[in-house]
Amino acid sequence: MAATTERIPHVIPRSDAYHENKLLSWLSVVDHKRIAQLYLMAGLLFFLTGGIEAFIMRLQLAHPNGHVVSAVLFNQLFTMHGTTMIFLAIMPMLIGFVNAVLPLQIGARDVAYPRLNALSFWLFLAGGLLLNSSWFLGGAPNAGWFNYVPISNPPYSPGLGVDFYDIGLQIAGIGTLMTGINFLVTLVNLRAPGMRLMRLPMFAWTVLVTMVLILFAFPPLTVTLFLQTFERLFGAQFFSVAAGGNPLLWSNMFWIFGHPEVYILILPAFGIISEVVPVFSRKPLFGYTSMVLATLAIGFLSFMVWVHHMFTLGYGPFVNSIFALTSMMIAIPTGVKVFNWLATMWGGQIRFTTSMLWAIGFLFCFVLGGMSGVMLAIAPADLQYNNSYFVVAHFHYVLIGGTLFALFAGIYYWFPKMTGRMLSERLGKWNFWLTLIGFNITFFPMHFLGLMGMPRRIYTYAPGNGFTFWNEVSTFGVFILAAGILFFLVNLVTSLQRGEKAANDPWDARSLEWSISSPAPPYNFAKIPLVRGADPFWLEKMHGNGHMLPAPGQEHHHGPPNTVHMPRPTMIPLIIAVALLILGYGFIYHALVVEIVGFMVLAVGLHRSMFTPDPGEYVPIEEEPAEEVGADG
Amino acid sequence: MANPAVTASQTGPEVVAALEPVDNAVLGLWIWLSAEAVFFASLIGTYLLMRTHTNHGLTPKQVFDLPVTLVGTLTLLASSMTFAIGYAQLRAGRLARFRSWLIVTVILGLGFLSFQAFEFTGDYKRGLTLSSSPFGSAFFTLTGFHGMHVAFGVFWLLSLLVYSFRPAFKTEGVTKAQVAGLYWHFVDVVWVVIFSVVYLLGKVG
Ligand code: HEM
Ligand SMILES: [Cu+2]
């Protein structure tokens, strides 16, 4: 945090070791753009892990009486697949985009707490590694991604798997909570002059609401994970019926977190689509104010619907009806958004770039998922759908067809700004079409399977059940889907090495991040820009000289001229995360010595982080590459 | 820059742009505390659900000892007051007095923790444990987490005390103390809720 003038010598040498040694520079990273890359890479690795798990499950289900894996392993696979995809793949990749883009979009040089930002990443990684280490330490958790009691209680899940689940998610969850706090402060305090709330890019708005959801949804998860940890490790009696505990406590706490969580996963995706569609339609976003209101409404409603995951748990018609209605109400603001995107495209000069294709694919698939959502929200009908493949179809349409497609739209759109190179459009089209087709072949038949009565989470079925054909189709689709993802990986690797060099503003875009060089310099903005209206960069291209004007009265550090005072790299966040990792293993294995070591490392790390001022360092301003701005993309 | 006070103090890394009506640290702490409020609300909700589930064992009425709890409560409330006095001294530039009041606050915080240790050992002796009943589980989890927050607060205040001997404290001490104080008062307020919902209600209902 801020240090005093007297204590900062005029010129602080840059912390060289942390800059020159490549490994050290990543371990001590505080720059939001590089943290973004870490999030995206780690998220991608977890995504591939979860994808392999899914692939094995589809192989097992391809034919009746399959013998690819055992029932026990199958349970571990679907549990780890869901948990990994939601907590370790999709959410971190979204947070990666938030890190990469948000500070640029609001004209800031970093986030409010750069060290805390690094801590968030390391905690996510520590939690993810701890959870996945269970594969090698006696078996992965196997009670489903929502880990219902009593199945997850000691008598029915005697191994250590569920402990890895509880503690792994706990560690990662704390990191996510920190992200929420960090970006809220960033959004309130670090906006460039003139960047009023109603001028924020739509992506920034969705991030704002997402972070509020994180802030209020994660504490119940934290608590209920603790309750279960205590029950399993120390013999507490919250859930076990024999002693008078209540299993519904877990279900409610989990879904009070869980439903907002699915909106944490979709709102930033809405934001990405809201950036991509206007740029490639050459029109401002239609109905900006209604978009903002819809985002707020969705955020608000998402806390009022959790019982729709528990229609079959016996709360009765009155409670179920109320939650059915609130659930269906979410379709209204969501519909507003969909029509606004359509209206933005209407009459626009649409460019069918890969990014735009993903956005259009998103519109189709996400709407399908929304419609099956409304079907599920009809409480009496849900008694039929619940726990069937119909639910599986629903959430894959919203999570893949929705969030993942939006992530792809985002990566094709922002890759130039993040890396300075373009992704190949040719490979991109392959990536898009194969994924789109494969996805629909894989998941559309699950609607039929569900309606025919196939339960989810069964490891096999009999030939006479009538499920064979659509299961075969579904597994066939996975191969196409996997080929699509493979094209993306090839595109990523080749473009990183020899992709076309990116211009500063390759898409002729509208928001601030495109007004600086590609890739963005370490300090983002040599001069903090003055925001004179919504779509600020577009405004300057249309009505100004094509460059952002510097905001008056912004530079006041005492360092050498032509430098920017930036946070200094530090290892403290990594140390704290390692401490929690040690503590986590200590608790799982009841190893007192390990726990004490963990606590000591934690205390040292916390103390240092609270009371070691960050003197920062002066980063020289790079020469602006002379380039014509506003070049038609 | 609208706020001259902020400009003057702003010599840290300039990740900061323009509008900074509230100090980053203070704003962040408020936001964190709102998450903490949800955290305790979840624990209190759990307790309310479980407080009658005594597994044929000890009930709240049997275990709670109001006079003792009242002493603990007053100790903690007093610690909030002593911190507030110390903070006022700091703002008035009287560093030495601030330190003394800080030490008093720490001692009172430790006093509260001893009360809790005393209470917990008594409960365990009587047979109310984390695993004796859902009531016991919820009681120890809720009050235990609160106690851990107090302990963390004591650690924080001690760190502040050590830090107050560094030169940097002259300029940023007030903010650091303000942030620590916000946390300390929050933990206090949570205890007031726990005292009412757990102990008073336990004696009545
Ligand atoms: C119009 C909006 C939506 C409605 C009305 C809706 C409704 C529902 C209902 C009623 C269920 C429970 C079905 C059951 O278990 O029987 C469900 C499950 C689910 N929904 Fe949605 N949904 C909507 C949008 C979304 C979105 C946007 C996402 C995430 C991006 C999402 C993710 C999920 C997930 C992950 C599950 C399954 C949880 C599980 O059982 O494993 N939903 N939805
Ligand atoms: Cu839901």
Side-chain angles (χ1 to χ4, degrees):
Chain A
M1 222 130 285
T4 66
T5 331
E6 311 99 76
R7 291 183 69 249
I8 298 181
H10 241 52
V11 181
I12 301 176
R14 298 187 62 189
S15 14
D16 284 331
Y18 286 164
H19 289 287
E20 276 154 20
N21 180 318
K22 215 167 178 174
L23 180 67
L24 279 184
S25 87
W26 283 107
L27 296 181
S28 63
V29 60
V30 285
D31 175 352
H32 70 97
K33 298 176 290 298
R34 300 180 74 210
I35 291 177
Q37 295 179 12
L38 288 175
Y39 265 116
L40 288 169
M41 286 316 294
L44 183 63
L45 289 180
F46 282 122
F47 176 76
L48 296 177
T49 315
I52 291 169
E53 286 154 4
F55 192 74
I56 300 174
M57 284 192 285
R58 279 315 321 166
L59 289 182
Q60 161 75 10
L61 291 174
H63 303 291
N65 294 329
H67 286 299
V68 179
V69 292
S70 66
V72 175
L73 186 55
F74 191 84
N75 287 357
Q76 300 179 3
L77 284 172
F78 71 65
T79 301
M80 285 301 282
H81 165 72
T83 314
T84 303
M85 285 303 195
I86 288 188
F87 291 96
L88 308 178
I90 303 281
M91 201 164 39
M93 289 198 281
L94 284 170
I95 294 178
F97 274 111
V98 172
N99 263 294
V101 176
L102 187 101
L104 303 182
Q105 278 198 334
I106 63 172
R109 288 194 171 138
D110 207 313
V111 296
Y113 313 117
R115 290 177 181 181
L116 192 69
N117 200 21
L119 177 63
S120 289
F121 170 76
W122 294 118
L123 286 178
F124 141 63
L125 189 66
L129 292 178
L130 183 125
L131 181 56
N132 274 281
S133 70
S134 63
W135 282 116
F136 314 102
L137 297 170
N142 56 2
W145 82 274
F146 47 71
N147 199 38
Y148 267 3
V149 287
I151 296 183
S152 55
N153 259 18
Y156 312 101
S157 292
L160 295 180
V162 175
D163 301 325
F164 279 97
Y165 171 98
D166 288 336
I167 290 181
L169 290 192
Q170 190 72 279
I171 295 176
I174 295 170
T176 311
L177 189 63
M178 300 297 148
T179 302
I181 297 170
N182 208 338
F183 279 93
L184 281 175
V185 179
T186 305
L187 272 160
V188 173
N189 270 357
L190 300 198
R191 283 172 285 131
M195 180 58 88
R196 297 189 211 129
L197 281 181
M198 290 310 278
R199 288 177 179 171
L200 279 179
M202 217 31 233
F203 179 69
W205 261 111
T206 58
V207 171
L208 181 71
V209 176
T210 304
M211 296 304 159
V212 174
L213 294 190
I214 288 181
L215 194 68
F216 294 133
F218 268 74
L221 176 73
T222 308
V223 166
T224 202
L225 288 173
F226 271 131
L227 300 186
Q228 190 166 70
T229 308
F230 292 173
E231 178 125 350
R232 291 182 54 90
L233 296 182
F234 312 128
Q237 306 281 350
F238 293 104
F239 307 121
S240 75
V241 182
N246 191 343
L248 292 180
L249 177 62
W250 172 274
S251 331
N252 278 281
M253 293 275 256
F254 187 89
W255 288 118
I256 287 174
F257 150 77
H259 188 86
E261 166 68 12
V262 306
Y263 279 88
I264 291 167
L265 297 172
I266 200 70
L267 281 178
F270 288 169
I272 295 174
I273 300 298
S274 304
E275 298 296 311
V276 168
V277 168
V279 166
F280 295 114
S281 306
R282 272 182 161 278
K283 277 176 66 188
L285 183 65
F286 184 89
Y288 176 89
T289 313
S290 65
M291 277 305 218
V292 172
L293 292 177
T295 311
L296 292 170
I298 292 175
F300 179 72
L301 282 174
S302 70
F303 281 101
M304 318 238 171
V305 301
W306 79 92
V307 173
H308 69 208
H309 295 274
M310 313 190 303
F311 281 149
T312 54
L313 294 193
Y315 282 107
F318 181 67
V319 172
N320 282 0
S321 311
I322 290 177
F323 282 91
L325 284 175
T326 51
S327 305
M328 291 179 201
M329 267 159 65
I330 292 204
I332 299 171
T334 313
V336 168
K337 287 191 166 256
V338 172
F339 282 109
N340 278 345
W341 290 318
L342 292 177
T344 308
M345 286 158 62
W346 188 268
Q349 301 166 21
I350 299 182
R351 284 175 291 167
F352 290 99
T353 56
T354 308
S355 176
M356 186 61 170
L357 287 179
W358 282 112
I360 296 170
F362 165 96
L363 282 178
F364 279 102
C365 297
F366 175 74
V367 167
L368 271 174
M371 290 198 305
S372 58
V374 175
M375 289 171 73
L376 290 168
I378 305 169
D382 183 65
L383 301 189
Q384 281 299 317
Y385 307 135
N386 181 257
N387 214 28
S388 79
Y389 260 87
F390 193 82
V391 179
V392 180
H394 160 65
F395 65 74
H396 284 91
Y397 267 84
V398 280
L399 285 174
I400 299 184
T403 308
L404 189 70
F405 281 20
L407 281 169
F408 274 125
I411 192 77
Y412 280 91
Y413 180 60
W414 280 307
F415 191 80
K417 189 53 66 184
M418 297 196 293
T419 65
R421 291 183 186 274
M422 310 290 287
L423 280 168
S424 152
E425 287 283 311
R426 199 170 48 84
L427 290 174
K429 302 262 149 80
W430 281 97
N431 170 206
F432 169 72
W433 286 108
L434 286 174
T435 309
L436 180 78
I437 294 168
F439 162 69
N440 280 292
I441 296 180
T442 306
F443 290 100
F444 205 81
M446 292 187 186
H447 291 107
F448 305 142
L449 285 170
L451 294 178
M452 286 157 69
M454 178 167 168
R456 64 193 283 201
R457 296 176 171 168
I458 51 163
Y459 82 105
T460 191
Y461 50 92
N465 287 352
F467 304 146
T468 313
F469 175 70
W470 288 119
N471 270 304
E472 281 170 350
V473 173
S474 177
T475 302
F476 167 71
V478 171
F479 286 91
I480 305 179
L481 180 58
I485 304 290
L486 210 62
F487 268 99
F488 173 71
L489 295 179
V490 172
N491 198 352
L492 185 69
V493 173
T494 53
S495 299
L496 272 177
Q497 280 166 358
R498 47 194 153 82
E500 185 194 328
K501 283 254 188 303
N504 290 351
D505 180 21
W507 313 118
D508 196 11
R510 320 178 73 84
S511 42
L512 282 179
E513 71 268 33
W514 304 103
S515 69
I516 54 178
S517 58
S518 298
Y523 43 82
N524 299 350
F525 297 90
K527 298 215 161 35
I528 299 291
L530 178 69
V531 175
R532 299 202 286 173
D535 285 343
F537 186 41
W538 184 260
L539 195 74
E540 299 299 335
K541 287 195 281 188
M542 292 299 120
H543 302 291
N545 67 358
H547 293 280
M548 296 308 298
L549 302 175
Q554 283 298 305
E555 309 302 321
H556 39 66
H557 70 65
H558 310 268
N562 277 325
T563 61
V564 180
H565 195 192
M566 294 299 292
R568 197 183 183 84
T570 165
M571 298 275 227
I572 295 174
L574 178 64
I575 294 171
I576 295 180
V578 170
L580 282 179
L581 190 64
I582 298 173
L583 261 179
Y585 280 109
F587 278 120
I588 291 177
Y589 287 101
H590 293 276
L592 192 63
V593 185
V594 182
E595 286 165 29
I596 292 174
V597 171
F599 261 120
M600 274 160 34
V601 181
L602 184 64
V604 172
L606 281 181
H607 181 89
R608 286 197 60 104
S609 71
M610 279 196 286
F611 294 104
T612 317
D614 176 3
E617 58 184 18
Y618 293 107
V619 179
I621 292 179
E622 290 157 21
E623 203 66 42
E624 281 273 336
E627 192 205 321
E628 76 293 10
V629 196
D632 208 325
Chain B
M1 171 79 60
N3 189 336
V6 170
T7 320
S9 75
Q10 200 181 66
T11 48
E14 277 170 69
V15 299
V16 180
L19 342 113
E20 210 184 340
V22 188
D23 183 274
N24 268 354
V26 177
L27 180 64
L29 198 92
W30 275 110
I31 294 177
W32 178 36
L33 290 186
S34 61
E36 286 273 14
V38 182
F39 177 84
F40 277 109
S42 308
L43 283 172
I44 291 172
T46 304
Y47 175 80
L48 287 177
L49 183 71
M50 296 299 178
R51 73 192 188 97
T52 50
H53 298 222
T54 52
N55 198 16
H56 312 296
L58 290 167
T59 65
K61 234 193 194 109
Q62 291 165 330
V63 283
F64 296 150
D65 186 355
L66 269 194
V68 177
T69 315
L70 202 62
V71 173
T73 306
L74 290 178
T75 318
L76 197 62
L77 285 181
S79 81
S80 243
M81 205 173 69
T82 54
F83 187 90
I85 299 173
Y87 181 64
Q89 301 290 350
L90 179 68
R91 296 202 64 142
R94 291 190 281 268
L95 197 55
R97 290 202 195 169
F98 162 70
R99 284 189 196 121
S100 325
W101 284 108
L102 195 57
I103 293 170
V104 176
T105 310
V106 166
I107 292 172
L108 288 173
L110 291 173
F112 175 83
L113 288 175
S114 340
F115 143 73
Q116 211 167 32
F118 173 74
E119 189 198 19
F120 281 10
T121 39
D123 291 339
Y124 262 75
K125 272 191 206 122
R126 266 179 281 175
L128 184 76
T129 68
L130 185 69
S131 49
S132 63
S133 66
F135 158 59
S137 309
F139 170 73
F140 285 112
T141 306
L142 171 58
T143 50
F145 267 115
H146 180 268
M148 274 172 58
H149 277 75
V150 176
F152 180 71
V154 169
F155 170 77
W156 192 341
L157 296 182
L158 280 174
S159 302
L160 191 67
L161 187 66
V162 175
Y163 191 62
S164 74
F165 290 94
R166 300 242 197 109
F169 194 79
K170 282 212 179 57
T171 41
E172 51 179 47
V174 173
T175 312
K176 294 256 172 200
Q178 186 188 1
V179 171
L182 271 175
Y183 173 84
W184 190 250
H185 297 316
F186 170 81
V187 172
D188 217 7
V189 170
V190 171
W191 180 257
V192 173
V193 178
I194 293 180
F195 181 69
S196 324
V197 169
V198 176
Y199 293 89
L200 289 183
L201 202 65
K203 275 298 178 194
V204 177

